[in-house]
Amino acid sequence: MLAFASPWFLTALLGLPILWLILRVTPPSPRILRFPAIRLLYNLQSRENTPDSAPWWLLLLRLTFAVLAILALAGPILNAIPTLPGNGAVVVVIDDGWASGHHWTQRQRSIIAVIAQAERQDRILFLLPTSGQGGSVKPLIPGEAKAMVKRMVPQPWSVDLESFTATLAKTDLPKSADVVWFTNGIADTGETDLAGILQRLGSLTIVTAGSAGPKVLMPPENSGRNIDVVVVRTTPGAAETAAIRAIAANDRILTRREVQFSADQRETTARISLPIDIRNEVSRLELEGENTAAAVILLDEGFRRQSVGLIAETGFQRQQPLLDELYYLERALAPFGEVNRGTLDDLIDAGTSNLILPDTGVLPQADKTRLVAWIEAGGILVRFAGPRLAAAGFDSKGLDAGELIPVRLRHGDRAMGGALSWSKPLAITDFSPQGPFAGMDTYGEVVVRRQVLAEPAIDLDEHSWAKLADGTPIVTAEARGQGWLILFHTTATPDWSELALSGLFVDMLRQIVALGTAIRPSSDRGEILQPLENLDGFGDLGQPLASARAIRLDAANPKPVIGPRHPPGYYGTPEAHRAVNLTITPDRLGPEPAPAAGISQRSFMSTSEIEFRPALFAAATILFLLDLLVTLFMRGHLSPRRGPRQAVGLALTALAFGNALTIPNNPSKAQSYDPDAFAQMASGETHLAYVVTGIDDVDAVSEAGLSSLSGALRSRTAVEPGTPIGVQLERDELAFFPLLYWPIPPDHPPLSDLAAERVNTFMHNGGTVLFDTRDQFEASVSGYGSGMQRLRTLSHALEIPALTPVPTDHVLTKSFYLLSEFPGRFEGGLVWIRDGEDETNSEVTPIIVGSHDWSGAWARSPSGLFAFPVIPGGELQREQAFRFGINLVMYALTGNYKADQVHVPSILERLSQ
C-alpha cells in the first residue's frame, strides 16, 4: 500500500509555482509547447524580457527535478499502515506475554509503523504493555516510543488482563483517545472486559497475526520405555507437520520426532523412544520453529527414568507369575523406571541405582559386604518382608541391623484378622512429614493383614516413614552413607496385604526411586528454592530475570504460580535443581473471539514501511547540482582559465547543498564513510575481519588477536594477509572476507534486521563466521556461560543450521597442522560446526561456535609480549591455539575450492622461472 506523509493536494499546489518558475527561466522550444499543460503554464507568465528558448533536454532535466521535489515533499511510503482514525491521542496496548513470541518481529515492525503514523500526524503517544513490564502511562515522543519498542521482548508468562484492566481503570489517560491493541492470538480471560474499557476511550483497532497461532507442549509422561508428549495448536485448520527435538544440556540434539496434525485436529501425541542412558541426558524438549516459552519443557532429575534392578535369585522365586513378588514389583515400577532382572553382582556391575530385594532370609556375608559398600556410595536398597524374613535365624535380642535392615525386628510375624486373632486388618493411615511419602493420598481402603514387627526403640519414629492405624511401622528406613536402606514390613504380593494391588504401591515406589536422583521428593516441601536460570519469552535459557524471586514449596503450595516473580526455569542449586515450566492447558489455547460491534480489526504488516523521502531528496539534489553545472558551462563560467577556482567553489556549493538537503535516517550514523574506499581497501589483499561490537575492550582484543594471527600466517604459510579490518554489520560489505571472527560478550548489543540480513547473506554465499563466546569456565545448569546464552538470544535473527561437534576426521583437524583439540585461552569444551560437515564436503561450514577465547590467546600487547595468560596449559597451549587459527584460515580459504588458492603466489613464482 502506497501512502503519503503529507497531503498530496497541498504538495501539488506547492509544485505549481515551482513549475512556473522553471518555465520562466527556461522558455521551452516550440516543439515542447505542443503539450497543452506546458503551453498553459507558459501562457500564464509574462513574455516580456523572456530569454531565448532553452534546449528541450534542459527543460526536461528541470521538470524532472521539480517532480522529484514535489514527490519528496509529499513523502511517499510503501507498505504504509492504514491511517489512524481520529485526531486525538494514540494509546498503543501490547500483549507481550508468552504467546506474543510467535511472530514477534512482525509485531515489533507493526508497532513501530503505528508510532511512525502517529508521528506524521503529530499526535500524543501512550505505550501500555499488558504484562505490566515496561511501557509508560505518560506521553511519549515518537523517538522514545520507538526505542522502547525495540528494547521490548516477550515475557515468559501469561498476561493477566484482569489485573491490567483494574490498573487501567485507575490510570489517567486522555478522555478521548484512539486505541490500537496488538493482541497475542489466543483467548485470554478478561479480554472482553478490557475491550469494553478501551472502546470507551475512543476508537479501538485490534491488530492480530492473521495466521495460525502458537503451538505448545504439554508436560511429558514416562510411558514404559517411551516419553509421550502432547502437542496442542491454537487454531485447528489444515493438515500440517510439527517437529519435537529432545536436546541435551550442551545443546546437542539427541533425537527429532515429527508429528502429524490431520485436518481440524487440535492435539496430537509424539512418542520419543531412546535407550535409558541417552534418554536420561535429555534436559529439555522443544517445538521446532516455535519461539515461545510454552514450546519448551525443561526436565530435571525428577523426570529421569531410573534404573531399577530386581534381584532375581532363581532358588527364591516361584514359577507362577501371580504368586511371584517380582511380577507385582515389575508392573508397579514399569511406568517410571527402567526395570531389569538379574543377580546381585550383575545388577551392581551394570550401574543400577536402585535395587529391590524380595523376601529373603539371612544374606550371605559376601553379598552383605558388597551391598553395604554399594549403599554407602549412594545406592537405594528396598527390601520386602515375608515368611523367609520372619523365619530367619534369631537370637534372644531379635534380628539386628547386621542383617541389612533399618530397625531391629521381632521374631516371627503378626497376623491380623485370622481365626485365632482378636485384631482386625489395619489400614495405612500415617506418613511421616520428614519422609518421601509426606502429603500422599492413603487411598483409604488399603489394609494390611500381616506384618513383621519392629522392636520398640527410642529412635523408632525417626526411622518410620509409614504407619498403620495402631501406630506400628509398616515402612522403615535408615540413611547409610549417601544411600538408603528401606524395609517394607509386609510382602510385595497380596498374601499379607492389599498394598501390592493398589495405586498407593505405585506411588510409594515412585517416591522411593526418586530418592536416587538429585531432587528428593520431600526436600522441597517447606524449602526455599532460589532462581538459578530462567527461560525468556523466546524459550531460551539464561540468567535469572530481574523480577525473579525464590520459590517456597510446601503442602499448601505444591506448585508455583508462573508470573513475573516466578518465571519458568530452574530453581535450587546446580547440584539439586527443579524445573519449573510454563504449562498452558488446552482450554486456555482457544482462538481469539470475534471483535464486538464498532471494533475494527486488521493483521500485522508482512513487510517494513519503506519511506522514499530521503532518496527523493537526494535525487533532486543531484539533479539540481547537475543543472547548476550545465548552466555555468553554458554561460562560460567554467572556462579552462578559471577552472580551478570554479571547481573549488562548486565543490563547496555542492557540499553545502548536500548537507542542507540530505536528511540522514539515523543522525548517530551520519558520519563520513566512503563505501568505495572501503571496498578498495578490503579487496586489495586478503584481510582477516572481526565484528565491531561497540565494546572497546572486546574490539581491542579482537584486533590485537587477529593482527598476531596474521603475523603467524605470514611467517609460517603462503598466506600473506593484510591488517585486520573491523566491520560494522549494518554498514560494511562482508563479501570481501572469507572469515569473520565474532566475539560474543554477555552485554553484546542486539542485532538489527539489517545486520542480521547481511550476516545471513554472508553465510549463504560461502562465508564462515567464528562465534567465540569466551565463557568456557562459566558453569550453569544448562552447561553454558553468559556468552553462549547471549548468542542464543542473538541467534533468533540469524539462520543458524543444526550444529554438531567437529568430527575427529574433519578438514579443520588437518588443513595445515594435525590437531585433535582446538584450545584458545581456555581449553576443554566442544567446538561446533554445521551438522553433516566432513572432509568430503566441498562447502565450508557457514558457522563455527566455541567458547575458548581464541583472540585472547593470540593477542599481543604493543610491546610485543602476549597480552593474556592461557589456562591451564601455558605456552604449549598457546601454540596449539595458533595452530588452530592457521588451520581455520586455511580451511576458510580452500574449503570451497579445490584449487589450493593460498599457494597461488608460490605456484606463479615457479611458473615464471
Side-chain angles (χ1 to χ4, degrees):
M1 177 179 179
L2 186 65
F4 296 92
S6 304
W8 172 255
F9 67 91
L10 291 179
T11 55
L13 290 177
L14 289 174
L16 290 177
I18 296 175
L19 292 174
W20 183 87
L21 180 61
I22 289 174
L23 294 175
R24 178 71 179 174
V25 300
T26 314
S29 62
R31 182 180 300 177
I32 299 297
L33 288 176
R34 295 177 184 176
F35 294 95
I38 296 178
R39 186 169 61 250
L40 176 62
L41 289 173
Y42 181 69
N43 291 335
L44 291 176
Q45 61 172 322
S46 173
R47 296 184 177 83
E48 298 179 0
N49 301 321
T50 301
D52 296 334
S53 61
W56 66 269
W57 52 267
L58 181 60
L59 179 61
L60 180 62
L61 176 69
R62 292 176 176 175
L63 288 177
T64 304
F65 161 75
V67 170
L68 290 177
I70 294 171
L71 289 175
L73 292 173
I77 301 171
L78 186 63
N79 302 324
I81 66 170
T83 303
L84 297 174
N87 53 13
V90 176
V91 178
V92 181
V93 179
I94 305 168
D95 282 351
D96 58 340
W98 69 267
S100 63
H102 194 63
H103 301 310
W104 179 255
T105 302
Q106 295 92 323
R107 183 183 301 268
Q108 277 186 313
R109 185 185 299 127
S110 298
I111 296 171
I112 290 175
V114 169
I115 294 172
Q117 182 73 271
E119 180 181 14
R120 291 191 290 268
Q121 297 178 8
D122 195 22
R123 300 172 69 172
I124 300 174
L125 269 170
F126 294 85
L127 207 62
L128 302 175
T130 56
S131 70
Q133 307 296 303
S136 175
V137 295
K138 297 181 180 179
L140 297 171
I141 62 174
E144 292 176 335
K146 289 179 181 178
M148 191 175 295
V149 171
K150 290 179 179 178
R151 293 193 303 267
M152 193 177 294
V153 293
Q155 305 299 334
W157 53 77
S158 299
V159 294
D160 187 353
L161 295 187
E162 295 177 341
S163 298
F164 178 78
T165 302
T167 303
L168 188 65
K170 303 174 185 177
T171 303
D172 187 17
L173 291 174
K175 300 302 180 183
S176 177
D178 299 294
V179 183
V180 182
W181 182 9
F182 289 85
T183 59
N184 58 15
I186 62 174
D188 290 306
T189 305
E191 193 166 359
T192 303
D193 295 338
L194 177 57
I197 288 183
L198 295 178
Q199 199 171 8
R200 286 198 289 271
L201 292 175
S203 66
L204 174 59
T205 301
I206 292 179
V207 185
T208 65
S211 59
K215 302 181 186 69
V216 304
L217 292 179
M218 296 292 104
E221 294 184 359
N222 273 322
S223 174
R225 296 177 178 269
N226 306 308
I227 299 176
D228 290 340
V229 57
V230 176
V231 187
V232 182
R233 58 179 178 174
T234 305
T235 309
E240 64 174 322
T241 301
I244 299 176
R245 295 185 293 188
I247 302 177
N250 59 5
D251 220 23
R252 180 164 49 95
I253 299 176
L254 300 176
T255 187
R256 181 180 182 272
R257 292 288 183 271
E258 291 188 353
V259 292
Q260 300 291 332
F261 284 97
S262 59
D264 298 327
Q265 183 184 11
R266 194 174 177 213
E267 299 181 16
T268 186
T269 302
R271 170 158 290 184
I272 300 174
S273 300
L274 291 170
I276 185 171
D277 54 341
I278 298 179
R279 181 170 61 239
N280 286 343
E281 291 186 40
V282 178
S283 67
R284 72 180 185 275
L285 303 172
E286 63 179 35
L287 267 175
E288 200 171 81
E290 292 287 334
N291 295 326
T292 69
V296 176
I297 297 292
L298 300 177
L299 305 178
D300 53 31
E301 292 294 332
F303 189 79
R304 306 290 188 263
R305 285 180 61 85
Q306 298 301 309
S307 175
V308 183
L310 303 181
I311 301 177
E313 303 292 349
T314 56
F316 294 150
Q317 306 307 315
R318 303 177 183 179
Q319 298 301 317
Q320 297 187 21
L322 296 182
L323 301 178
D324 185 0
E325 291 177 282
L326 299 187
Y327 171 79
Y328 294 94
L329 289 168
E330 195 167 27
R331 294 292 298 271
L333 292 166
F336 55 86
E338 188 76 13
V339 184
N340 299 294
R341 294 194 186 198
T343 63
L344 174 63
D345 292 336
D346 290 341
L347 292 173
I348 292 180
D349 291 341
T352 306
S353 57
N354 297 268
L355 289 179
I356 296 183
L357 182 63
D359 177 30
T360 56
V362 178
L363 294 172
Q365 186 59 41
D367 290 351
K368 286 191 292 184
T369 301
R370 188 160 196 198
L371 279 171
V372 167
W374 176 80
I375 294 172
E376 291 179 349
I380 308 296
L381 176 63
V382 182
R383 296 191 64 175
F384 283 85
R388 294 183 180 86
L389 184 61
F394 288 87
D395 56 23
S396 59
K397 296 182 179 179
L399 189 62
D400 62 20
E403 291 300 329
L404 276 180
I405 55 176
V407 296
R408 182 170 297 181
L409 301 179
R410 288 185 178 182
H411 178 73
D413 59 86
R414 174 194 184 193
M416 297 169 286
L420 301 178
S421 174
W422 292 95
S423 59
K424 296 180 180 179
L426 298 175
I428 302 174
T429 59
D430 187 16
F431 296 126
S432 170
Q434 284 76 39
F437 309 143
M440 282 178 44
D441 185 6
T442 60
Y443 287 79
E445 300 300 324
V446 178
V447 296
V448 176
R449 299 184 297 273
R450 199 168 183 175
Q451 67 173 137
V452 293
L453 289 173
E455 284 283 352
I458 296 176
D459 61 348
L460 183 59
D461 280 345
E462 297 177 8
H463 295 285
S464 300
W465 281 357
K467 296 179 181 179
L468 299 178
D470 64 352
T472 57
I474 194 63
V475 180
T476 56
E478 180 184 23
R480 296 277 185 96
Q482 299 180 14
W484 286 93
L485 175 60
I486 304 167
L487 173 65
F488 280 74
H489 291 238
T490 188
T491 61
T493 65
D495 293 345
W496 284 18
S497 72
E498 297 176 354
L499 181 61
L501 301 177
S502 68
L504 178 61
F505 191 49
V506 177
D507 291 344
M508 295 174 82
L509 290 178
R510 183 194 300 269
Q511 299 292 71
I512 289 173
V513 168
L515 286 174
T517 67
I519 294 181
R520 299 191 174 179
S522 62
S523 64
D524 59 354
R525 298 184 184 276
E527 247 185 7
I528 297 177
L529 304 177
Q530 296 293 339
L532 194 61
E533 289 183 305
N534 289 138
L535 287 175
D536 62 16
F538 296 111
D540 288 333
L541 197 63
Q543 296 296 323
L545 301 183
S547 63
R549 298 294 181 268
I551 290 176
R552 183 183 181 90
L553 297 181
D554 50 32
N557 300 291
K559 292 182 61 177
V561 177
I562 302 297
R565 293 177 59 84
H566 304 314
Y570 285 118
Y571 289 78
T573 64
E575 295 77 22
H577 54 272
R578 174 177 292 269
V580 176
N581 289 296
L582 175 65
T583 303
I584 308 297
T585 54
D587 60 314
R588 295 196 59 186
L589 282 174
E592 289 180 329
I599 300 176
S600 59
Q601 184 174 3
R602 60 180 177 83
S603 301
F604 293 157
M605 297 175 59
S606 58
T607 56
S608 301
E609 286 188 338
I610 301 176
E611 189 173 355
F612 291 104
R613 175 174 285 175
L616 291 171
F617 270 124
T621 302
I622 292 173
L623 291 183
F624 176 81
L625 296 176
L626 182 61
D627 178 79
L628 181 62
L629 279 173
V630 171
T631 302
L632 291 174
F633 180 79
M634 293 178 65
R635 296 188 177 186
H637 293 293
L638 292 180
S639 61
R641 184 177 55 186
R642 295 189 295 173
R645 286 185 298 169
Q646 294 295 334
V648 172
L650 185 61
L652 293 176
T653 303
L655 179 62
F657 273 95
N659 290 336
L661 295 180
T662 302
I663 304 175
N665 287 326
N666 190 342
S668 64
K669 296 183 181 179
Q671 53 187 347
S672 59
Y673 172 70
D674 187 352
D676 293 334
F678 178 85
Q680 183 177 1
M681 174 186 63
S683 60
E685 56 183 335
T686 301
H687 294 271
L688 303 182
Y690 64 93
V691 174
V692 176
T693 63
I695 303 171
D696 294 340
D697 293 342
V698 176
D699 296 339
V701 173
S702 298
E703 182 178 10
L706 293 186
S707 296
S708 180
L709 179 61
S710 298
L713 286 165
R714 286 191 292 269
S715 64
R716 303 187 192 187
T717 71
V719 182
E720 297 181 357
T723 304
I725 296 177
V727 295
Q728 303 274 0
L729 295 179
E730 294 185 355
R731 183 190 69 183
D732 297 327
E733 177 57 55
L734 306 179
F736 300 113
F737 310 103
L739 177 67
L740 197 62
Y741 176 76
W742 193 342
I744 307 293
D747 51 350
H748 192 293
L751 292 182
S752 66
D753 292 340
L754 176 59
E757 181 181 356
R758 284 178 173 269
V759 175
N760 290 332
T761 302
F762 174 72
M763 292 191 294
H764 291 164
N765 292 338
T768 298
V769 181
L770 173 62
F771 290 99
D772 190 352
T773 60
R774 315 183 316 157
D775 56 1
Q776 175 60 29
F777 285 157
E778 293 185 27
S780 64
V781 172
S782 62
Y784 294 126
S786 55
M788 185 64 76
Q789 291 166 357
R790 184 57 180 162
L791 175 59
R792 293 183 65 186
T793 301
L794 296 175
S795 64
H796 287 293
L798 302 177
E799 298 176 8
I800 294 182
L803 302 179
T804 186
V806 177
T808 56
D809 58 348
H810 192 268
V811 179
L812 268 175
T813 66
K814 52 191 175 183
S815 57
F816 195 85
Y817 291 103
L818 293 178
L819 299 176
S820 59
E821 297 180 347
F822 312 112
R825 189 180 171 199
F826 311 123
E827 72 170 5
L830 297 175
V831 177
W832 302 82
I833 61 172
R834 180 177 60 189
D835 192 10
E837 288 289 314
D838 55 44
E839 73 275 10
T840 62
N841 195 340
S842 62
E843 293 187 0
V844 174
T845 176
I847 179 172
I848 302 173
V849 181
S851 56
H852 301 72
D853 191 10
W854 287 290
S855 62
W858 302 328
R860 294 179 184 269
S861 64
S863 63
L865 300 177
F866 289 111
F868 303 100
V870 292
I871 303 170
E875 295 310 308
L876 180 60
Q877 180 178 325
R878 192 189 305 275
E879 172 61 22
Q880 292 295 103
F882 272 105
R883 292 187 178 190
F884 166 72
I886 292 172
N887 274 23
L888 176 66
V889 174
M890 290 295 187
Y891 171 65
L893 289 173
T894 64
N896 267 351
Y897 316 99
K898 300 305 180 182
D900 204 7
Q901 290 185 352
V902 296
H903 299 295
V904 167
S906 299
I907 295 172
L908 293 178
E909 183 179 355
R910 292 175 186 174
L911 291 176
S912 64
Q913 294 177 353

